[in-house]
Amino acid sequence: MNQFPTTARVAIIGGGVVGVSTLYHLAKEGWTDCVLLEKNELTAGSTWHAAGNCPNFAPNWAVMNMQRYSLEMYRTLASDVDYPMNYHVTGALRLAHTKERMQEFEQVASQARYQGLQMDICTPDELKTYNPFMETHDLAGGLWDPLDGDIDPAQLTQALAKGARDLGARIERFCPATGISREGSEWIVHTSKGDIRCEKVVNAAGYYAQRVGEWFKPFGGRTVPMVVMSHQYFLTEEIPELAAWTKEQGHKMPMIRDVDSSYYLRQDKNGLNLGPYERNCRAHWITQDDPMPEDFSFQLYPDDLERLEWYIEDAMERVPALGTAGVGRNINGPIPYAPDGLPMIGPMPGVANAFEAHSFTFGIVQGGGAGKVMSEWLIHGETERDMWAVDPRRYTDYADHDYCRSKALETYGHEYAMHFPHHEWSAGRNKKLSPNHQSLLDAGAQMGAYNGWERANWFSMPGDDTSEQSTQTWTRNGPWAARVREEVEAVRDGVGVLDMPGFSRYALTGAMAADWLRGQITGALPKVGRINLGYFTDSRGRIITEVTIIRWGENDFWLMTAAVAQWHDFEFLVGRLPDDGSVKMTDITKDWSTHLVTGPASRDLFAGISDVDLNAGWLTIQDATVAGKPAKLFRISFAGELGWEVHTSFEDSALVYEAIRAAGAIPFGMYALNSMRIEKGYRAWKGDLSTDYTLLESGLDRFLRLDKPQDFPGKKALKNEYQQGRKKGFVTLVLDDCGYDAPYMSTVWKGEEVVGETTSGDWGYRVNKSIALGMVKVEFAEPGAELEVEIYGRRVKAVVQKDMPLWDPENDRIRA
């Protein structure tokens, strides 16, 4: 018997499919000095009772990539590691009851084709040819994925385990981790068999991830934002009609997902497996009278089929054969849910050299790709593709227990929901409020949540339809459209004000602050008393983040970034600081709030309520008094008009906002701001700016100084790209108006060739055009090039514009 390992490069806590896949991918990359710890047998948590469904379909671009990788890997895994598996590629149908659902299918199918997957849109009659057992008379159509199917979760996990062991990695079963401690830069994982010292540790503990996460709180961690849900599915007894059809056809019945009714139905042997995601769902282990047991390995909750009655009846109407067989077995097991239903894969917030790979609601299909992504974080400190959608740092301090519980219930009950661009989910709201919150509501504000902060999206007028139903559309022209136009015109012609609490901001100080920052960004620092943008890139020259650099003194800076980037950017920046203490960074986000005051009349407004130097030029900063309160004013505007950002203490924000309103500023919201920023070609973080694109591809050459002496991260790669030429080019596209604007990651075509993708899209109310920003192959990035953007199944003509803003191309208005 091998001796218990006392050291390892990486220790993985949790022996489900994700933890084992991570070990396997590490070993494939040569990191064999790694160990996985499982308190019981492999798969003892959620993995063993998982249904094992394996779709490619995912409305999220990053998650689709992850699932696509998994299924490609699974199709050869048995032979790759010499371990037999039951993997049935049966194909699957998704059913649509409405036009809106068909539009969602069209958009996802387009993204799938971009990734090399074939998904076909079907009429009701065509659906019947794939699966003759179902009724289709009430359907609008559906989608066919020929590569969908199901896999045995236990066999999959054991195959990955065999592959990892064969490569030299270690798995310790029946070896519960009991805690962690730290000595210097080394982690010590305590187990029932002894201690393991390691460089890095991964929390892959499934529905126990929150409990494991508590061990890291003394080292800077937080309570893991997740909830354990009860998920049921049941297996019928044999259905003779299905058995006969299977024998005749030589394959299983394709799976059915009736996503509008919220369940899946698939063949299991010669019976059926029905798995609903019911609205009347239930969370477990969230109250003191329902504590999480110390060990729940290979256990289930009591049956609760009454919750499923409506879904069972609906499924029997869809597939009458379901009603001819009795229930053979019911599975009611724990499944972890993050608030948005997506997993957490990446660095553990607040803790160096600790990582998370947990909260998988679809862990079997995502397990292969998740192991790849996690191994990239561990080995390289960066991932091949941008994975912000599943980054644990997307949740910050607002994600308390109440938020996680209410969001998990909402997300589970709407597992197959369509995420319309103007729809706001109601659970988990009002976690962070501006001092002006009630004033905004009184003015008709329709609110949205941004890193937990409530901001106005648009302002309604009496009689406007503000119902949730009105937002359940992909079209641009909802009740908000006329109001957003009015808000944009108020900014264009006069002066508007946007209350923007929650800007992420950090104070950077220290004797070497300027030298450090100069050696990190791709470009130059602003002079004292001025602002500019700074870009941080990874080893391949891809954009990690964009920050606004405000320079108060020689070594005194503020760094400001997007609200949702708060923990991500702070941890990234702090992780690059020198160890000698010569540079310090402090998160001061909660100390300040912001008002964007912008429009040609903004100078006149400030003349009446402040002592601002109205002659100060664009990109300057100053201390001033506004409405008798101290404020910091930045001559900058994301809306692309003359204006200032007014930064005050959180306590003074309400009085200053009231004075700005009283002086004539019209309130506007985030929808109007997005319309105006896209007319200016301003990039948005994790849409237009991400690690999927290099700085040069993003058209940000003016922020690149390859001749400066500092060897900033990514400089070598960018220099090489500059010499060889970029492969993609950032473009502004003007689209024919079809009533819809281009969603994120819409496919761009030239004839029958896929040439790129959009990164954001909106209607520009000042130029009266539908605009998309995007990336295309460089040979198609020339002004005047005629392309097509695929929007909800329809190809729309798009023309590449000159490399300048569509609105105020010479920036005369913003510099006025």
Side-chain angles (χ1 to χ4, degrees):
M1 182 176 180
N2 292 335
Q3 187 176 3
F4 181 76
T6 57
T7 62
R9 179 175 280 184
V10 178
I12 301 168
I13 301 172
V17 65
V18 173
V20 178
S21 177
T22 299
L23 187 72
Y24 173 65
H25 281 85
L26 287 170
K28 284 183 67 177
E29 292 296 315
W31 279 38
T32 56
D33 183 18
C34 301
V35 62
L36 180 144
L37 305 169
E38 166 54 45
K39 69 189 303 181
N40 197 283
E41 180 58 89
L42 297 181
T43 77
S46 294
T47 299
W48 80 271
H49 63 75
N53 299 329
C54 289
N56 279 299
F57 186 101
N60 182 283
W61 178 263
V63 173
M64 179 185 282
N65 262 307
M66 189 164 61
Q67 293 178 184
R68 174 188 54 77
Y69 172 87
S70 291
L71 301 195
E72 288 175 358
M73 185 182 107
Y74 296 170
R75 288 194 283 273
T76 64
L77 183 62
S79 59
D80 291 343
V81 301
D82 192 24
Y83 191 95
M85 292 190 302
N86 289 320
Y87 181 25
H88 307 109
V89 180
T90 61
L93 298 165
R94 287 178 183 260
L95 312 184
H97 293 233
T98 65
K99 169 190 172 184
E100 287 76 20
R101 183 65 78 175
M102 288 297 290
Q103 289 176 301
E104 181 202 40
F105 288 172
E106 292 272 16
Q107 194 67 19
V108 174
S110 175
Q111 294 179 353
R113 288 190 287 270
Y114 189 108
Q115 295 188 21
L117 299 168
Q118 183 61 38
M119 292 185 185
D120 298 322
I121 302 300
C122 300
T123 66
D125 288 343
E126 288 170 337
L127 293 173
K128 195 89 170 177
T129 64
Y130 288 110
N131 192 319
F133 291 96
M134 69 176 180
E135 299 295 324
T136 62
H137 62 279
D138 58 339
L139 298 177
L143 177 141
W144 166 247
D145 178 0
L147 293 177
D148 205 327
D150 61 89
I151 198 167
D152 185 297
Q155 291 176 344
L156 169 62
T157 306
Q158 294 295 346
L160 292 165
K162 180 179 185 297
R165 289 189 183 104
D166 288 349
L167 291 167
R170 292 289 299 269
I171 295 176
E172 292 292 328
R173 299 173 301 137
F174 303 102
C175 181
T178 57
I180 55 106
S181 57
R182 194 165 177 82
E183 288 186 6
S185 61
E186 193 171 55
W187 287 110
I188 304 172
V189 180
H190 308 293
T191 82
S192 60
K193 297 181 180 179
D195 292 346
I196 301 175
R197 293 177 175 268
C198 57
E199 299 173 23
K200 301 177 182 181
V201 63
V202 179
N203 178 359
Y207 55 73
Y208 280 104
Q210 190 174 83
R211 177 173 289 177
V212 171
E214 294 298 298
W215 301 343
F216 293 88
K217 290 176 79 171
F219 307 100
R222 88 299 187 214
T223 297
V224 172
M226 61 169 285
V227 165
V228 178
M229 298 295 295
S230 157
H231 177 57
Q232 291 187 92
Y233 64 90
F234 70 81
L235 310 174
T236 72
E237 296 171 342
E238 181 170 317
I239 300 173
E241 181 184 3
L242 181 60
W245 184 88
T246 303
K247 183 177 181 180
E248 178 183 343
Q249 298 294 321
H251 60 78
K252 292 171 65 175
M253 176 189 93
M255 177 184 287
I256 297 169
R257 289 185 179 85
D258 195 333
V259 289
D260 290 312
S261 294
S262 194
Y263 59 78
Y264 64 80
L265 184 67
R266 83 157 203 246
Q267 184 173 345
D268 189 276
K269 297 181 181 176
N270 285 317
L272 291 172
N273 172 342
L274 176 66
Y277 290 91
E278 69 278 12
R279 295 287 174 88
N280 54 329
C281 51
R282 181 180 178 185
H284 271 284
W285 306 333
I286 58 172
T287 60
Q288 290 184 350
D289 59 354
D290 182 25
M292 176 180 281
E294 194 61 35
D295 189 359
F296 202 69
S297 300
F298 295 111
Q299 297 184 56
L300 297 171
Y301 301 131
D303 292 353
D304 191 8
L305 283 172
E306 289 185 6
R307 291 208 321 256
L308 309 185
E309 282 184 3
W310 183 92
Y311 302 89
I312 295 171
E313 292 172 1
D314 189 82
M316 286 192 297
E317 291 181 9
R318 180 66 56 205
V319 179
L322 177 65
T324 66
V327 176
R329 187 186 180 196
N330 188 64
I331 308 294
N332 185 11
I335 182 171
Y337 257 73
D340 61 3
L342 299 181
M344 297 187 210
I345 318 171
M348 182 183 294
V351 187
N353 290 327
F355 298 83
E356 296 185 327
H358 58 70
S359 300
F360 286 80
T361 62
F362 299 99
I364 303 306
V365 66
Q366 294 168 3
K372 174 182 180 290
V373 171
M374 192 71 260
S375 69
E376 289 167 351
W377 275 119
L378 291 161
I379 296 170
H380 306 295
E382 56 193 39
T383 54
E384 178 187 5
R385 300 178 183 274
D386 193 287
M387 298 303 296
W388 171 244
V390 296
D391 194 302
R393 296 166 294 185
R394 69 189 187 273
Y395 295 111
T396 63
D397 55 352
Y398 67 90
D400 57 15
H401 178 69
D402 170 73
Y403 176 86
C404 294
R405 180 192 59 80
S406 61
K407 290 299 291 184
L409 290 167
E410 179 182 66
T411 301
Y412 181 99
H414 297 83
E415 181 59 60
Y416 297 123
M418 292 175 279
H419 297 276
F420 297 107
H422 295 94
H423 177 254
E424 294 285 338
W425 295 95
S426 60
R429 299 298 296 273
N430 296 330
K431 288 301 178 181
K432 294 182 179 181
L433 302 181
S434 160
N436 305 298
H437 185 70
Q438 189 57 50
S439 175
L440 297 172
L441 295 179
D442 293 343
Q446 304 301 306
M447 308 300 287
Y450 299 82
N451 191 32
W453 290 97
E454 295 290 326
R455 292 179 180 171
N457 281 332
W458 64 286
F459 287 85
S460 64
M461 297 292 286
D464 287 346
D465 184 0
T466 59
S467 66
E468 182 179 14
Q469 184 178 3
S470 73
T471 68
Q472 294 175 337
T473 176
W474 304 109
T475 185
R476 173 196 322 124
N477 294 315
W480 53 84
R483 304 300 170 223
V484 174
R485 177 181 289 279
E486 291 167 358
E487 293 169 25
V488 171
E489 291 173 347
V491 172
R492 181 195 67 190
D493 300 334
V495 58
V497 58
L498 174 58
D499 183 55
M500 293 188 72
F503 259 131
S504 302
R505 71 186 81 205
Y506 323 114
L508 180 72
T509 58
M512 301 300 292
D515 286 343
W516 173 81
L517 188 55
R518 193 176 288 111
Q520 294 295 320
I521 63 172
T522 61
L525 297 182
K527 295 178 180 179
V528 173
R530 295 187 64 84
I531 306 172
N532 70 5
L533 293 176
Y535 291 89
F536 294 79
T537 55
D538 64 13
S539 67
R540 285 167 279 190
R542 301 175 306 177
I543 299 171
I544 295 176
T545 194
E546 171 197 79
V547 301
T548 302
I549 302 173
I550 301 99
R551 193 170 190 178
W552 303 110
E554 185 63 29
N555 286 291
D556 184 5
F557 299 87
W558 276 5
L559 305 181
M560 292 182 58
T561 185
V564 294
Q566 184 185 0
W567 280 12
H568 174 281
D569 281 5
F570 184 72
E571 293 203 346
F572 162 71
L573 294 168
V574 168
R576 286 192 173 185
L577 292 179
D579 295 330
D580 60 10
S582 60
V583 184
K584 295 182 180 179
M585 188 175 295
T586 306
D587 188 333
I588 58 172
T589 299
K590 290 185 178 180
D591 299 338
W592 296 83
S593 194
T594 304
H595 309 307
L596 174 57
V597 182
T598 186
S602 57
R603 182 176 277 119
D604 294 337
L605 180 147
F606 282 114
I609 63 171
S610 76
D611 60 356
V612 174
D613 178 2
L614 298 174
N615 294 316
W618 187 40
L619 301 180
T620 60
I621 61 177
Q622 58 180 300
D623 287 306
T625 299
V626 179
K629 295 296 182 181
K632 296 181 181 295
L633 271 73
F634 305 164
R635 178 74 192 278
I636 191 171
S637 172
F638 204 48
E641 299 283 353
L642 170 68
W644 283 263
E645 287 181 2
V646 182
H647 300 264
T648 68
S649 70
F650 202 75
E651 293 74 17
D652 291 339
S653 174
L655 189 149
V656 171
Y657 181 73
E658 182 180 344
I660 293 169
R661 286 291 315 277
I666 303 299
F668 67 98
M670 297 296 290
Y671 291 172
L673 182 64
N674 192 64
S675 168
M676 290 186 282
R677 72 95 187 167
I678 211 165
E679 289 177 312
K680 294 294 292 182
Y682 295 157
R683 281 68 155 169
W685 190 73
K686 289 307 180 189
D688 314 300
L689 302 171
S690 79
T691 54
D692 283 333
Y693 309 116
T694 71
L695 192 79
L696 288 170
E697 288 175 335
S698 300
L700 296 169
D701 312 47
R702 63 191 182 279
F703 298 101
L704 177 61
R705 298 287 180 86
L706 289 173
D707 58 349
K708 70 177 186 177
Q710 292 81 13
D711 189 23
F712 58 85
K715 183 177 183 179
K716 181 179 179 181
L718 287 168
K719 184 175 290 187
N720 184 61
E721 183 183 10
Y722 183 80
Q723 293 169 347
Q724 295 189 7
R726 69 195 82 185
K727 295 180 180 179
K728 290 183 175 181
F730 183 87
V731 293
T732 297
L733 301 167
V734 169
L735 282 62
D736 284 357
D737 183 16
C738 65
Y740 302 87
D741 298 312
Y744 174 66
M745 285 295 171
S746 295
T747 304
V748 180
W749 297 83
K750 179 64 175 179
E752 293 307 306
E753 180 185 359
V754 173
V755 298
E757 67 274 0
T758 62
T759 53
S760 59
D762 206 342
W763 181 263
Y765 288 93
R766 292 176 296 194
V767 300
N768 283 315
K769 298 179 188 297
S770 181
I771 307 167
L773 306 182
M775 287 284 179
V776 300
K777 292 179 180 179
V778 70
E779 58 266 34
F780 300 104
E782 292 299 316
E786 294 187 2
L787 307 172
E788 291 179 305
V789 176
E790 188 171 1
I791 302 177
Y792 306 121
R794 177 180 173 182
R795 293 193 189 181
V796 179
K797 180 182 176 182
V799 179
V800 177
Q801 304 298 297
K802 293 180 179 179
D803 187 19
M804 59 176 60
L806 291 175
W807 176 251
D808 186 26
E810 301 299 331
N811 287 328
D812 293 331
R813 295 172 68 93
I814 202 169
R815 296 175 184 268

